[in-house]
Amino acid sequence: MAFNTEKNTYTVVFAAIMVVVVGSLLAFVASGLSGKIRENERFEKQQNILYAMGVNENQDEGSVNFVPTTEVEKEFASYIKKQIVIEGDKVTEDNEAYLIDMKRQLEVAKSGGTPKLPLFIGEKDGKEFYIIPMYGKGLWDAIWGFISLDDQMVVQGVYFDHKGETPGLGANIKQRYFMDDFTGETIMKGTQYAGISVAKGNNDPLNKIKDDNEVDALAGATITGNGVSAMISETVKLYKGYLQTIKDKG
Amino acid sequence: MALLSKKDTSLILDPLTDNNPITIQVLGICSALAITAELKASIVMAISVLFVLGVGNVVISLMRNIIPSKIRIIVQLIVVAALVIIVDQVLKAFAYELSKTLSVFVGLIITNCIIMGRFEAFALGNGPWKSFLDGIGNAAGYGVILVIVGFFRELLGSGTLMGYKVLGDPIAKTGLYSIGYENNGFMLLSPMALIVVGIIIWVQRSRNRALIEEN
């Protein structure tokens, strides 16, 4: 080699070139693929919303299969009748409401502002579903999901997902046996909006009791489970006003 | 001429047995504990490391004569990180489902000491072809242990394999559970992975006494 690789100037020049080369390579890859990635994320949101209202391609009792990405846009348009944004007392329709970032809105709510809360009204077999997006914290990172309610505040379906919960433990919140437990539970405790907690000692592993506001927890995933409970109750709290008007009507 | 000389073959096969990265070199233990609660996660991690270590070893080996020795660790880190980010972005664009399964592992690959260990110990001093074989061999040796640990942890901890209930249903009490068998929840926690790795080390060293270190 013609260079003396031990010299300080060489080291600095090498580092500078390396940074430029690697940096531009990564920027090139990221910007080249960002359109495709954003589209995938949009489809995924639509799939999740449809999943929560029971529009999916589940085959057996363990599978979680979404509507295929090629058809999701069509299906979304046909099942979701209305997308609304609730801002304080003001309710507006917005066909891009599903793209609203719940994380930002929760921060707004926490700092005392008026959040823009998206809600999706779906219709399947003549029945109306009210689907609410949720966002919260698990053990390692973010967790989020969608919960669909009927006009009596009984859960019709949920979908949970997470960024980085432990595989085999907290990551199991997106398994069928956990999500299916929520179906049929009510978020009401008497006349109060209570949410549903993930409880360790609820002594109901088969989930036969539907009015206890509790589902059976996952072994070894206490913090993730608590995160799910907190996520549901925090979200329900924000939507309380609007949900009451639905309940009064129904 | 054969594609692989005798020395080349040993580069691939040794890490699978007598020079295993986890049980003998004691590299990559951290990820072996973290992600082996499920067999599927173990397999996915093994494949990801196979790719990153194979390609990374070649890249480092090609650059070995121009890397300044003072900053070689940083250069190695940048190469791994860049590779991992590219893989992550490509997966997100073309295999979105898979990229979601991989999410946690991608970060873990960067910190996997096997990768830095092999860059440092092998790729910096050998040609690209040999380095590629070394990378594949070590990643495979790592993968084998991961799959073994994942197999036992998922089977004994959850009674499933790849998500399928192979021992029956623990709640409806069918299969093995009808005669009183219970899942061992301890198996899902990381310390049990260490114990399983320990048992593998024990079995391996009692079969081949040459591997036992003298203090």
Side-chain angles (χ1 to χ4, degrees):
Chain A
M1 268 289 135
F3 311 112
N4 175 6
T5 57
E6 290 304 314
K7 263 169 72 180
N8 282 346
T9 42
Y10 176 79
T11 306
V12 172
V13 170
F14 183 90
I17 294 174
M18 179 101 192
V19 167
V20 170
V21 169
V22 174
S24 39
L25 178 72
L26 290 183
F28 180 74
V29 171
S31 62
L33 296 173
S34 73
K36 194 114 178 73
I37 293 173
R38 221 168 291 143
E39 194 182 70
N40 283 335
E41 287 169 352
R42 203 162 55 84
F43 286 159
E44 190 199 5
K45 260 195 168 170
Q46 296 184 336
Q47 285 174 324
N48 291 172
I49 293 170
L50 289 175
Y51 186 93
M53 66 175 279
V55 181
N56 52 49
E57 309 226 322
N58 287 348
Q59 274 142 5
D60 51 51
E61 52 173 325
S63 67
V64 177
N65 289 336
F66 299 118
V67 175
T69 39
T70 44
E71 281 155 43
V72 69
E73 242 167 335
K74 209 178 75 215
E75 299 271 294
F76 190 75
S78 78
Y79 280 107
I80 301 295
K81 294 290 163 221
K82 227 158 97 179
Q83 298 187 44
I84 58 175
V85 178
I86 307 158
E87 197 176 358
D89 296 330
K90 207 172 79 201
V91 177
T92 43
E93 255 190 76
D94 180 355
N95 281 338
E96 301 237 299
Y98 73 102
L99 295 175
I100 290 176
D101 182 6
M102 263 317 257
K103 185 184 174 193
R104 281 258 316 275
Q105 303 309 321
L106 286 174
E107 278 162 11
V108 170
K110 207 168 258 174
S111 59
T114 316
K116 285 185 180 158
L117 302 168
L119 185 129
F120 318 107
I121 303 172
E123 200 184 306
K124 197 180 97 179
D125 307 330
K127 201 174 159 185
E128 286 213 322
F129 294 83
Y130 302 90
I131 304 152
I132 302 174
M134 303 178 288
Y135 186 92
K137 282 197 287 270
L139 170 60
W140 303 114
D141 214 319
I143 54 174
W144 61 91
F146 296 89
I147 184 165
S148 79
L149 304 164
D150 68 0
D151 54 16
Q152 290 308 307
M153 301 302 117
V154 174
V155 177
Q156 301 301 306
V158 292
Y159 180 76
F160 295 124
D161 208 342
H162 62 93
K163 193 166 175 198
E165 298 308 296
T166 322
L169 301 172
N172 287 354
I173 58 166
K174 59 186 292 191
Q175 296 284 335
R176 270 290 283 290
Y177 64 84
F178 183 69
M179 296 196 290
D180 284 1
D181 272 3
F182 286 81
T183 311
E185 293 276 343
T186 171
I187 60 163
M188 306 290 294
K189 198 168 208 157
T191 52
Q192 296 288 314
Y193 287 85
I196 298 164
S197 17
V198 178
K200 273 189 177 174
N202 91 329
N203 279 336
D204 180 22
L206 293 177
N207 198 38
K208 294 235 169 75
I209 311 164
K210 292 293 188 186
D211 54 3
D212 58 352
N213 300 92
E214 281 183 353
V215 295
D216 204 30
L218 295 165
T222 311
I223 313 273
T224 312
N226 292 347
V228 172
S229 312
M231 175 169 80
I232 297 174
S233 70
E234 294 289 306
T235 316
V236 165
K237 210 161 67 188
L238 293 175
Y239 283 85
K240 210 159 63 176
Y242 190 80
L243 292 177
Q244 189 60 44
T245 63
I246 298 171
K247 197 162 181 284
D248 291 344
K249 259 194 293 181
Chain B
M1 205 179 88
L3 183 64
L4 299 174
S5 70
K6 206 167 164 228
K7 217 176 143 225
D8 289 347
T9 325
S10 75
L11 279 177
I12 290 196
L13 292 183
D14 276 0
L16 286 172
T17 54
D18 289 349
N19 194 18
N20 189 283
I22 293 184
T23 62
I24 307 295
Q25 302 174 37
V26 201
L27 290 173
I29 291 276
C30 0
S31 51
L33 303 191
I35 53 125
T36 49
E38 275 179 335
L39 183 56
K40 190 176 147 204
S42 311
I43 293 174
V44 169
M45 182 67 171
I47 295 171
S48 323
V49 168
L50 189 76
F51 175 81
V52 173
L53 191 51
V55 177
N57 251 4
V58 172
V59 173
I60 292 289
S61 167
L62 289 172
M63 289 167 65
R64 70 186 186 281
N65 290 328
I66 56 165
I67 297 177
S69 60
K70 284 178 208 148
I71 56 164
R72 65 180 196 286
I73 301 280
I74 302 173
V75 172
Q76 290 163 13
L77 259 182
I78 291 174
V79 170
V80 192
L83 274 176
V84 168
I85 293 170
I86 291 173
V87 172
D88 184 42
Q89 294 281 316
V90 170
L91 284 177
K92 267 195 186 138
F94 298 105
Y96 194 70
E97 282 298 301
L98 185 64
S99 85
K100 295 208 61 171
T101 337
L102 273 169
S103 59
V104 218
F105 311 121
V106 171
L108 280 172
I109 295 172
I110 303 179
T111 58
N112 193 328
C113 22
I114 288 190
I115 295 183
M116 296 291 282
R118 291 328 292 172
F119 284 1
E120 218 15 51
F122 199 89
L124 275 179
N126 291 280
W129 174 237
K130 280 200 161 53
S131 298
F132 176 71
L133 296 177
D134 178 78
I136 298 291
N138 275 283
Y142 166 79
V144 165
I145 302 294
L146 233 60
V147 169
I148 295 174
V149 178
F151 177 85
F152 284 111
R153 283 183 74 190
E154 190 177 347
L155 184 67
L156 302 177
S158 325
T160 57
L161 281 178
M162 306 288 285
Y164 291 103
K165 297 189 173 114
V166 287
L167 299 181
D169 193 317
I171 294 172
K173 301 274 177 224
T174 58
L176 257 187
Y177 299 99
S178 60
I179 53 166
Y181 175 81
E182 290 284 342
N183 285 332
N184 183 353
F186 268 139
M187 290 303 287
L188 294 176
L189 306 176
S190 317
M192 289 310 287
L194 195 58
I195 292 177
V196 176
V197 172
I199 292 172
I200 297 172
I201 294 179
W202 174 38
V203 170
Q204 194 181 13
R205 290 184 194 208
S206 40
R207 285 169 58 100
N208 183 356
R209 298 203 155 260
L211 295 175
I212 302 172
E213 298 95 345
E214 291 177 26
N215 342 307

